[in-house]
Amino acid sequence: MEVEQKMKYVQLGKSGLIVSKLAFGAMTFGSGNIPSVYKVSQDQAKELVDQALDAGINFFDTADAYADGESEEILGRLLGTCRKETIIATKVGNRVGSGLVQTGLSRKHLFTACDASLARLNTDYIDLYIVHKTDPFTPLEETLEALNDLVRQGKVRYIGYSNWPAWMAAQALQMQRERGWATFINGQMYYSLVGRDIEHDIVPFMKNNDVGLTVWSPLAGGFLSGKYTRDNLTDPNNRLSGFDFLPHDKEWGFTILDKVRDIAHDHGATPAQVSLAWLLAQTHVNSVLVGSSNASQLEDNLTAVELKLTAEEIAVLEQLTRPVPLYPNWFTTMTLDSQVVEALK
């Protein structure tokens, strides 16, 4: 119960939905064609879900494509008795069958996929329904109208998106507002110390429009956990060998990890806790998804809510990992009128 009292909560974007600052990601639940990821049985999952609930987590995330739907099934069974006390997010858009229409964000697939997710999750509503990726084959208007209809039907409470560029999310939000449709309250994006691309345009868009940011893969697929070294990175038994799809320069990443380990040592913490604490210190982050395949790993992640980095430590990590500015952002910064900036301080 001690950890539960330390959990923090926040409104998700400009909505009345109150979520824990740490969310539980159920991607590892089940078995499937990616054994380095899908490897947690129902018994193991029960231990993890109970542990998350005891820690004060009320926000659980999955997707219809995870382990061919098995992740949703397991999570639905385990949250059954406390469904009304928890927030379930699931995602749609990735392929879930061999048919041409069993993928994407068409009206047909969204309606079919939503009903299938409701059945697997053993619930009559989804708290947060997230489109998992873009769909270049379906008009944006069709997708947004279908999502609005799902909300009006009561099958979905709130909607969000994941892995969309800022321009598309902006276009969608404008269309939703103009037509009185349900609006996106959340964007679930990849963000970590070795992947800060969203700071170029996505974060400014979200902040300007009160769209909540939730973070997936905050440890860069486990790279920032500190368990990988230059020597064991290619070990066929580790997760990164079987599921390494987040692009970053590994040698640069190890340089960052060296500093993260130094900071962790000063706090008696772990590299994973420092990496998560850095994200939790970012004011534009609403909630961070933590996934796990065992109880000790989850406990390590949960303890990150207790770790407070100093301003100096945050500044060091900021400087070391800051992404190279893109045009026209660098031009805007370079041409700011220093006299006006000084007068407004």
Side-chain angles (χ1 to χ4, degrees), residues 112-189:
T112 301
C114 183
D115 286 342
S117 287
L118 287 168
R120 285 191 292 265
L121 288 165
N122 192 30
T123 184
D124 55 5
Y125 67 95
I126 295 167
D127 294 289
L128 178 60
Y129 202 38
I130 301 170
V131 287
H132 210 161
K133 62 176 186 176
T134 62
D135 178 3
F137 306 107
T138 300
L140 182 58
E141 181 179 15
E142 178 179 336
T143 297
L144 300 180
E145 185 176 24
L147 289 171
N148 180 68
D149 288 343
L150 290 173
V151 173
R152 297 293 176 257
Q153 292 168 12
K155 295 179 179 180
V156 170
R157 297 291 191 257
Y158 301 91
I159 56 174
Y161 62 88
S162 184
N163 308 309
W164 279 27
W167 70 265
M168 182 175 289
Q171 184 180 17
L173 199 60
Q174 180 180 5
M175 190 179 297
Q176 289 168 331
R177 289 170 174 169
E178 289 175 347
R179 305 189 182 194
W181 291 344
T183 56
F184 287 138
I185 68 161
N186 165 253
Q188 187 182 118
M189 310 297 290

Side-chain angles (χ1 to χ4, degrees), residues 195-254:
R196 294 174 58 184
D197 295 348
I198 67 171
E199 294 178 12
H200 292 304
D201 295 302
I202 292 170
V203 168
F205 158 74
M206 288 179 145
K207 291 171 67 175
N208 189 59
N209 289 276
D210 294 317
V211 176
L213 170 61
T214 54
V215 176
W216 64 265
S217 205
L219 299 180
F223 181 83
L224 291 168
S225 67
K227 64 183 178 180
Y228 300 111
T229 67
R230 292 171 174 84
D231 296 325
N232 70 9
L233 188 61
T234 57
D235 186 331
N237 295 316
N238 70 43
R239 174 177 174 176
L240 277 178
S241 291
F243 196 64
D244 184 10
F245 80 110
L246 297 174
H248 67 268
D249 184 304
K250 294 299 192 296
E251 186 54 41
W252 171 71
F254 281 121

Side-chain angles (χ1 to χ4, degrees), residues 285-299:
V285 171
N286 281 175
S287 189
V288 177
L289 273 67
V290 291
S292 176
S293 57
N294 60 71
S296 61
Q297 186 181 76
L298 180 57
E299 179 62 29

Side-chain angles (χ1 to χ4, degrees), residues 9 32 82 103 126 153 183 190 214 238 275 307 317 322-323 342:
Y9 301 87
C82 56
T103 184
I126 295 167
Q153 292 168 12
T183 56
Y190 166 56
T214 54
N238 70 43
S275 300
L307 178 59
L317 292 175
R322 182 175 295 125
E342 188 63 31

